[in-house]
Amino acid sequence: MGGCSETVAPTQMWDTYDLSVVLYSDKNPIFWRIYFMRAVKKSLFKDLFLTVILVSFVFVGAACSASTASNDGNTNHEHEEGQANNHGHDDEGDGQYDQGTTTIGGEEAKIDHHGNPVFDEEERVYEQYIQDGVSVEFTIENFLGVGGRGGELAPRIVEGQHAVLQFNLTDAESGAPLNGYRPAVWLDLVKGELNEDICKAQVQGYLGGTLDSRPMIDLNSYFILSMNKDNTISVIDPMVDVAGMTNLFAIILLQGTPQDWAITEDHLQLFVTMPELNKVAIVDLDGFQVVANVEVEGHPNRVSIQPDGRYAWVEIDSEKRRESGVAVIDVANRSLVDQIPTGKGEHSIAFSPDSRYAYVANKDDGTLTIIDTDSLDKVKNLDVGKQPVSVAVSAASGMVYVADQAEGVISVVDDDRLEISAQLPAERGLTKVDISPDGKWGFAISQGAETIFLIDTQNDLVTHAMQVRGGPDQISFTDSAAYIRSSTSAAVFMIPFDEIDPLGDVSLLTIPVGVMPPNSSEATSLAKAILPIPGGDAVLIANPADDKIYFYVEGAQSPAGGYQGHTLVPRAVQVVDRSLKERSPGVYTGGIRIPQSGDFSVAFLLDDPDVLHCFTFSAKPNQDSANAENAKNLLLEFLNENQPKAGETFKLKLKLSDEETGEPVSEVEDLVVLARVLAGNWNQRLAAIHVGEGMYEVELTFPNPGMYNLFFSVPSLGISFDLLPQRTLQVGK
């Protein structure tokens, strides 16, 4: 903060008053909070209020004087070319933060008035490295907001907790930020000696993609999420390539079958609708597990997150008019804020670029409801045809486009006047309208008429109507092209933006994808089946009929390969991006969960100019990780040799032992076995019985032939289903 300031904030509730005075400066915050928590006369409160203000001004002068004095004697550090300098860079405390103690990482630490730990200077991780005229400043800090401490940063790095890495890239001479780069970063445990040659060898191994050179954390990668036919989401690690080896990294268990999902901008949370249960699941994408299930009135279908990330909006279908509309969920608090009735029928939702308005199309009412996202009040209802089925907003102009299925007209709503400014004729049977990322082109599709319409959004004109075969039903975008999925043929249509001539021809490319058309599978969803990967030069295409997620590189004649072999039955695809983001010019950050305690190497690579260096930091043990340690030391063995058959009782035989000593573990009384069919909703949860010397048995009956997953937990040891290895069984006839 610059300079000194004073905040005086009185609030009144009936005759109870709360007066807060906060004084702070750049270096030495001073905090007083004065409460009047009983009824007093307004005249007396006024006198007290004026007295506090006068006293506050006296302390402001003292705080500013202290701040000026503490700024004297700053030291500048200079670094030689190609050398790193490790040092702390935080200001020294003066004791005024001390408001008690807490336990962090198994050690006692002081806390300030916000409840945030105050650590010693040497706790800070900071290193600067200069090479080839580039200065790289590295920091890593514990993100305490995940633990409920206000979202602030603190220096101590603890296993199992979230941390934020930051790289500040500047010109070594001028100090100007270096923006627009894509640095590569890998994290791994330090194994023995670490020097420049070893660092280079490690990076070469990472770039080579060999299995024996994989880092513990790859901040240049992404995970693929597959929305499956049953009530699971598969997490796939692409690993080395798409043609051969892939890794089913995790399975996310939901209470019901998913229908649609939306991911937050930071890729840390996923909101998943489950219509049959009237619930929305919230998934932590760091640990890949459900952390909340929010109940709503009615059936939740589509879900979207407004651009500023404050609220997730869920479209609610219900026969009851008072329920049919939207539910609003607070993203940060993971709680239902409000449920707003908007009209009958199915709904579609879009947002103004500044998140000021939410636009909700009501199919059976023929209206567009405009909602103020701050007050959550309905601003206006516009008549936009007989059956508005889809709404989209141009990120460039803010203009709103609403497709009417019955009349085949696209209404254009002015975002300033909130009135219809134009109506664009297309064709009856419209099912979807969407706008390109740059806002220049609109795309509308009619599945029944097998037609794609192009809209010039600058002039609000339908410029092209292209006949296609295969019933187009979904639209997705990369930065350079539009992709339209065909539901009745194994093909995807692609339209490159730079090959659109407003007055001439348009290049419509047909990409053969797979063997079977998507609609030949019973597995369908509202979520998108085509999604770009980070970097935007390739897309993932989910085809449930082929039980495969295809990988297509732009410009190729056909997909380069795909992900298969886990009986996914993928209905939709999503991507969790783990790469660094440029949050401000020259400042690149990324969030991780510290996997374990120990000394870590952070390999950093930048091309043109060439910079390669391995930074280091240490993570302290976490007493809360005892549960994970229990699971790590527990060896679970499967003793069955026979194959189970559908409809027959199958006695599953297990053995628990200590992995280090080999001794049987016999004291467990709550070894829980969860059996779940891969393609369906059947599941069974039973407790295994100890039969002696670490041997356990449980009787299962599988209803039908097919593939089943087995998950295991031990609640008494704090071991959840995601901590022990799963087992896949083939059940015969």
Side-chain angles (χ1 to χ4, degrees):
M1 303 178 188
C4 295
S5 62
E6 177 185 9
T7 301
V8 181
T11 58
Q12 177 180 351
M13 182 178 294
W14 290 284
D15 288 326
T16 300
Y17 299 90
D18 176 3
L19 176 63
S20 302
V21 179
V22 182
L23 305 178
Y24 58 92
S25 66
D26 289 345
K27 296 288 183 179
N28 301 300
I30 304 171
F31 183 89
W32 291 274
R33 189 168 182 87
I34 303 172
Y35 292 99
F36 299 96
M37 294 305 295
R38 61 180 183 178
V40 295
K41 293 182 178 180
K42 291 185 178 181
S43 58
L44 177 57
F45 178 80
K46 181 178 180 181
D47 294 338
L48 291 171
F49 180 76
L50 294 174
T51 302
V52 169
I53 291 178
L54 292 174
V55 173
S56 299
F57 278 111
V58 175
F59 282 106
V60 168
C64 287
S65 299
S67 175
T68 304
S70 65
N71 282 327
D72 294 337
N74 290 335
T75 304
N76 295 321
H77 300 277
E78 297 182 357
H79 311 277
E80 297 295 330
E81 180 79 10
Q83 292 188 359
N85 182 13
N86 297 291
H87 60 82
H89 65 293
D90 192 32
D91 307 313
E92 295 181 1
D94 60 0
Q96 297 188 48
Y97 287 98
D98 188 7
Q99 298 291 319
T101 61
T102 187
T103 301
I104 300 293
E107 298 180 20
E108 189 175 85
K110 296 178 181 179
I111 57 174
D112 64 12
H113 57 271
H114 293 302
N116 293 312
V118 180
F119 299 108
D120 294 333
E121 174 72 11
E122 57 267 20
E123 296 278 3
R124 288 284 181 187
V125 177
Y126 173 84
E127 185 177 349
Q128 184 183 35
Y129 181 77
I130 297 177
Q131 181 180 337
D132 203 14
V134 175
S135 168
V136 182
E137 294 179 277
F138 165 70
T139 60
I140 179 171
E141 295 185 304
N142 187 1
F143 181 67
L144 296 177
V146 177
R149 296 187 180 94
E152 299 185 20
L153 295 173
R156 181 172 294 179
I157 308 303
V158 180
E159 68 168 319
Q161 296 186 0
H162 290 75
V164 177
L165 298 92
Q166 179 170 297
F167 299 88
N168 187 14
L169 274 58
T170 58
D171 183 277
E173 292 186 5
S174 67
L178 301 179
N179 58 299
Y181 286 86
R182 292 184 63 86
V185 177
W186 302 267
L187 273 75
D188 210 344
L189 285 173
V190 176
K191 304 168 185 175
E193 184 183 3
L194 181 63
N195 54 40
E196 185 176 345
D197 293 335
I198 294 175
C199 179
K200 290 181 179 179
Q202 286 179 347
V203 171
Q204 289 174 355
Y206 300 151
L207 293 173
T210 58
L211 291 178
D212 58 352
S213 298
R214 298 201 73 208
M216 183 171 287
I217 298 176
D218 188 343
L219 280 172
N220 320 290
S221 64
Y222 58 90
F223 287 101
I224 300 171
L225 301 183
S226 168
M227 179 186 288
N228 299 329
K229 181 180 179 180
D230 61 1
N231 52 339
T232 64
I233 296 172
S234 296
V235 184
I236 302 170
D237 183 354
M239 290 188 68
V240 181
D241 55 50
V242 299
M245 191 176 302
T246 61
N247 178 25
L248 184 59
F249 184 80
I251 289 183
I252 302 170
L253 302 176
L254 303 172
Q255 292 181 356
T257 303
Q259 180 64 265
D260 193 22
W261 53 16
I263 194 169
T264 55
E265 185 181 8
D266 57 12
H267 284 220
L268 292 178
Q269 292 189 94
L270 183 74
F271 290 75
V272 187
T273 60
M274 299 177 291
E276 69 209 47
L277 299 181
N278 297 352
K279 290 182 180 180
V280 179
I282 304 178
V283 180
D284 171 22
L285 292 177
D286 199 10
F288 293 116
Q289 59 185 349
V290 177
V291 293
N293 286 286
V294 180
E295 294 189 11
V296 298
E297 294 184 12
H299 303 305
N301 281 300
R302 295 182 179 89
V303 57
S304 306
I305 299 175
Q306 63 188 58
D308 63 8
R310 182 182 181 185
Y311 292 136
W313 294 68
V314 184
E315 299 159 24
I316 305 296
D317 292 343
S318 176
E319 296 178 356
K320 301 176 182 178
R321 177 179 287 273
R322 64 180 179 82
E323 293 178 357
S324 185
V326 291
V328 184
I329 298 175
D330 189 296
V331 171
N333 296 326
R334 299 170 177 168
S335 60
L336 182 66
V337 177
D338 199 358
Q339 194 155 334
I340 307 169
T342 60
K344 295 188 299 182
E346 298 176 359
H347 307 283
S348 175
I349 192 168
F351 306 96
S352 59
D354 60 0
S355 294
R356 180 182 179 186
Y357 293 124
Y359 303 98
V360 184
N362 310 300
K363 181 180 178 181
D364 291 350
D365 274 2
T367 58
L368 180 73
T369 301
I370 304 171
I371 301 173
D372 185 307
T373 61
D374 189 26
S375 64
L376 298 182
D377 292 330
K378 287 186 282 189
V379 176
K380 198 170 192 178
N381 271 338
L382 280 178
D383 292 328
V384 287
K386 293 182 179 180
Q387 288 184 329
V389 292
S390 182
V391 57
V393 176
S394 169
S397 66
M399 301 292 277
V400 186
Y401 297 80
V402 187
D404 177 38
Q405 188 175 64
E407 298 180 339
V409 172
I410 302 167
S411 297
V412 184
V413 178
D414 187 290
D415 63 322
D416 287 329
R417 297 185 296 109
L418 301 181
E419 296 286 351
I420 295 176
S421 61
Q423 289 191 312
L424 314 179
E427 192 169 337
R428 291 181 180 179
L430 292 176
T431 54
K432 183 69 176 177
V433 63
D434 213 338
I435 310 297
S436 62
D438 60 7
K440 294 181 179 179
W441 292 100
F443 295 80
I445 54 178
S446 172
Q447 189 171 6
E450 297 187 328
T451 305
I452 302 173
F453 300 92
L454 263 65
I455 306 166
D456 179 354
T457 59
Q458 294 177 324
N459 300 300
D460 285 335
L461 294 173
V462 176
T463 58
H464 301 81
M466 295 166 287
Q467 290 287 319
V468 295
R469 285 187 176 183
D473 68 337
Q474 288 189 6
I475 307 171
S476 298
F477 298 107
T478 64
D479 290 337
S480 58
Y483 290 81
I484 296 93
R485 188 184 76 160
S486 167
S487 62
T488 60
S489 71
V492 169
F493 306 108
M494 175 185 175
I495 303 176
F497 296 142
D498 59 2
E499 296 184 24
I500 298 176
D501 184 348
L503 303 177
D505 296 332
V506 172
S507 293
L508 178 64
L509 308 178
T510 302
I511 305 167
V513 180
V515 179
M516 303 291 291
N519 72 342
S520 63
S521 169
E522 296 179 355
T524 59
S525 79
L526 296 174
K528 288 189 176 182
I530 303 176
L531 205 73
I533 67 167
D537 57 352
V539 295
L540 300 168
I541 305 170
N543 188 337
D546 289 344
D547 186 19
K548 194 169 186 178
I549 298 175
Y550 293 93
F551 183 91
Y552 172 75
V553 179
E554 290 191 341
Q557 297 296 318
S558 61
Y563 306 100
Q564 193 176 29
H566 305 297
T567 61
L568 301 173
V569 193
R571 300 186 294 148
V573 65
Q574 184 62 264
V575 171
V576 181
D577 189 2
R578 290 290 194 242
S579 61
L580 298 178
K581 305 294 189 301
E582 188 174 9
R583 300 300 182 185
S584 60
V587 179
Y588 303 82
T589 65
I592 62 171
R593 186 194 296 272
I594 304 299
Q596 66 181 75
S597 60
D599 297 328
F600 282 84
S601 166
V602 183
F604 177 92
L605 176 65
L606 192 68
D607 289 331
D608 192 26
D610 295 329
V611 179
L612 192 158
H613 182 66
C614 285
F615 301 95
T616 60
F617 72 90
S618 296
K620 292 183 176 294
N622 190 344
Q623 290 180 338
D624 293 336
S625 63
N627 294 342
E629 193 64 27
N630 288 337
K632 181 180 177 182
N633 295 332
L634 198 63
L635 179 62
L636 179 64
E637 298 178 77
F638 303 88
L639 305 180
N640 294 83
E641 295 182 356
N642 59 318
Q643 183 187 30
K645 293 183 179 180
E648 297 182 2
T649 300
F650 175 71
K651 184 175 290 186
L652 178 67
K653 298 180 180 180
L654 307 167
K655 182 180 180 180
L656 289 180
S657 58
D658 189 296
E659 190 169 15
E660 294 183 357
T661 65
E663 293 294 322
V665 177
S666 304
E667 67 274 10
V668 172
E669 298 180 355
D670 57 344
L671 173 59
V672 179
V673 180
L674 171 64
R676 186 182 297 272
V677 65
L678 282 179
N681 292 327
W682 180 89
N683 66 81
Q684 189 176 30
R685 186 190 303 251
L686 296 170
I689 300 174
H690 182 238
V691 295
E693 298 183 357
M695 311 283 287
Y696 297 82
E697 294 180 353
V698 60
E699 293 185 350
L700 300 169
T701 303
F702 301 98
N704 299 300
M707 298 295 294
Y708 291 78
N709 268 339
L710 299 181
F711 303 89
F712 307 90
S713 71
V714 185
S716 62
L717 298 179
I719 300 174
S720 57
F721 286 113
D722 61 330
L723 293 179
L724 287 174
Q726 69 181 55
R727 179 68 176 264
T728 301
L729 283 181
Q730 174 70 52
V731 176
K733 296 181 180 179

